[in-house]
Structure formats: C-alpha cells, structure tokens
Amino acid sequence: MDIGTARGRRTALLLAFALVFCVAVPGTAVAQSESQVGGTVVVEEGETIDELEAFAGTVVVEGTVTGDVSAVGGDVRIDGDVGGDLEAVGGSATVAGNVDGDLEAATGTLSIEEDGTVGGDLSAGAGTVVIDGTVDGNAAVGAETIRLGDDAAIAGDLRYGGTLEGNTDAVAGEIRQETTWGWGDETGFETVFSWLFSAYVLALNLVLGAALLLVFPRFSGGVADHVANDPLRTGLVGLGALVGVPVLLVAIAVTIVGLPISFVGGFAFALAIWIAIVYGRFAVAAWVLSLVDVHNRWVALVVGLVAGALVVQIPYFGSLINLLVLLLGLGALARGLYARRQSVRRRERDPRGGVGPEEPSAD
C-alpha cells in the first residue's frame, strides 16, 4: 500500500471522528461567552458566564449566566440563574431556577416548577404548559393544555389558547382566551420548533454520513448496491434485525451476568439504527440518481438526507416512508457486516489468497 495513501486515510479517519465527537459528546461551557454545540451542554454549579447560545441534545444551566440564554435542544433545564432573557426551543423546557428577564419557549412541554421564577413576561407555544412557579409579568400561552398549580403566581394578565386548568386565582390580572391562535396554529411556535429541530438532526446526519463515506468508502458503496440490486431481501433482513435484536437483548438481560452485555448491546443497536437511517437515505438517493446517470456519492448523501428530512414532515405517510428507508438501511448494513465477516474468515483460512478488489476512487 502506498504510504501517502495510508497516511491520507488515517488523517481522514481522525478528522471524520473528530467531527462526530464534537457534535455527539458532552460539552461544558467554560468561557465567559459561549456558543456551544454538542450532545450535552452544561453550565456547572458555581460557574459564571456572560451569555450562552447552545444547540445540543440537552442544555442544563446549574450555575449563573449573567446575560441571555438561547438554547435549542431536546431538553432545556434551568436550575441556576439567568440574568437576562431565556429563549428555548426543544422537546421540553424546565425552569426550576431564576430567569430575571423574559421567557420565550417553543417546546413540546414547558414547566415552571414551584421554585422557578420568571422576572419578565412569558410567551410560550407548547403541547403542555405547567406553571407552578412565579411569573412577574404578563403571560401569553398557546398550548393544548395549560395547567396552573397551587403555588403558581402570575402578576400580570394571562392570554391563552387551548384548555386552561387548575388554579386560575393565581392570575392577578385579566384572563382572556384567544380563539385565533394556540397549539396547532400553523403560524405558531409548533412549526418553528419542528423545522429548527429538523435542521439540527439534518446537520448531525450530514456529519455522520460524511464520516462514513470518508472512512468506509467501499463498504458504503456496498450498502448502496444491496439496496439497489435486491431491495426486497434487504428490507426483510432489516425487519428481522429490527424485531430480533431487541428480543435477543431482553433475553440476555434476564440473567445478572448478561445485564451489562445487554446494556452495551442496546447502546450499539441504537447507534446502528442511526447509521442505518443515514445509510438508507443515502442508498435510496444513490439508486434514484443512478437512473438519471448521476453517480456521485457526495451528491447522493446530501440529496438523500435533505429529502429524508423533508419527507418525514409529511403527516402519516412521512413516518411510513421513513420506516421503509430505515429497514432498507438496516438490512443493507447487516448484510454488509455479514459479508465483511465472511471475507475475513476466508482470508484466515487461506492467507495466501488473492488480493481483494481495488478500493474505489473518490468521486
């Protein structure tokens, strides 16, 4: 093997996994003003920073942010102090500490807990909003369900869209229902959250896909070939893996000795599902593009992932199509790994066998 080629591949390997590491592992805010991207972003207890902009799976503020916090994540939690405004977009947001300024949230669920305080106004669009803490200003909430707890206190007015439940005496000002907006309004927060979260997932998928194509170009090409040449068999293999592997892991977990193995296996299977989604979208796009005589794996990766992110937004049919693509990707991944294992065994039995096929050149 050419030394320069080997060194280049090792460099690509390190760069690819460094990219995945940067977006997938926990990160801690350590500077005075932070813009963070990662699996988990944490402002530790006792730590103080000026401002925080975070784009992560989980964002937690346990210490102090003297300025504003803008967070996009699956889960946003404030246990410490925010001296400015809080903007939260994510699956859930919880305020159990203090937000001195305004709170704007577009989330699946929003909870202001008993010890939580919002010093300014509250503007929220969510599936469920629970207020059991204090809002010193006005509140405008659009949600399917809005629940006021026994310890809730809203100093100003409450405008809401949806179903209001609980302690309405907690509102010192006027309570007014708005019939023109609320959860499900296409101009409301739900659409904003959906597209922002989709953009975040798309970015992660692009990084993972680029890493796979750089590090395993021949294997990735084989995955695409399995989907293009034998989609029915590949999909059935994927269905078997999707159903069979969890059953096997549960069976292993029944024994005390097998519990750690099952835990590690579950993590590995979750990673395999993620890889299968990326591979499935890449492979389907590669097949479609080949019909119009386009054979560039990077174009196929971008087209497949962007199209997949758009298709999944379609109600009902989007989820079904995404499942079919997952089955194709998972089946192709399983078949590729099996073929790889068989190839290794053949070489072990006959170490003097012929040289394998040439690595395909980069597009």
Side-chain angles (χ1 to χ4, degrees), residues 227-252:
V227 172
N229 298 331
D230 197 356
L232 179 59
R233 182 182 176 188
T234 300
L236 290 175
V237 171
L239 178 61
L242 187 63
V243 175
V245 172
V247 172
L248 178 61
L249 291 175
V250 171
I252 294 174

Side-chain angles (χ1 to χ4, degrees), residues 47-145:
E47 181 181 6
T48 300
I49 64 174
D50 291 340
E51 294 183 345
L52 176 64
E53 295 180 358
F55 200 70
T58 302
V59 181
V60 181
V61 176
E62 297 175 342
T64 301
V65 180
T66 57
D68 298 334
V69 172
S70 298
V72 177
D75 181 33
V76 178
R77 184 174 181 90
I78 307 297
D79 291 318
D81 297 305
V82 176
D85 299 332
L86 169 62
E87 297 177 351
V89 177
S92 65
T94 303
V95 177
N98 299 313
V99 177
D100 290 345
D102 298 333
L103 168 58
E104 297 182 0
T107 56
T109 60
L110 170 65
S111 177
I112 302 176
E113 298 187 351
E114 183 178 344
D115 295 329
T117 300
V118 177
D121 295 332
L122 167 65
S123 301
T128 301
V129 174
V130 178
I131 301 175
D132 205 24
T134 300
V135 177
D136 288 337
N138 299 314
V141 181
E144 183 177 345
T145 303

Side-chain angles (χ1 to χ4, degrees), residues 246-269:
V247 172
L248 178 61
L249 291 175
V250 171
I252 294 174
V254 171
T255 64
I256 297 177
V257 176
L259 191 59
I261 299 175
S262 180
F263 178 79
V264 174
F267 179 82
F269 186 61

Side-chain angles (χ1 to χ4, degrees), residues 303-351:
V303 170
L305 293 181
V306 171
L310 294 174
V311 167
V312 79
Q313 302 293 329
I314 302 173
Y316 307 114
F317 290 106
S319 298
L320 178 59
I321 294 172
N322 195 50
L323 174 60
L324 293 176
V325 172
L326 167 62
L327 294 179
L328 289 172
L330 188 58
L333 179 62
R335 293 183 65 186
L337 292 174
Y338 179 77
R340 175 67 178 170
R341 178 58 181 164
Q342 293 298 99
S343 176
V344 171
R345 285 182 174 177
R346 284 195 297 269
R347 286 199 297 268
E348 289 174 348
R349 287 196 299 265
D350 184 12

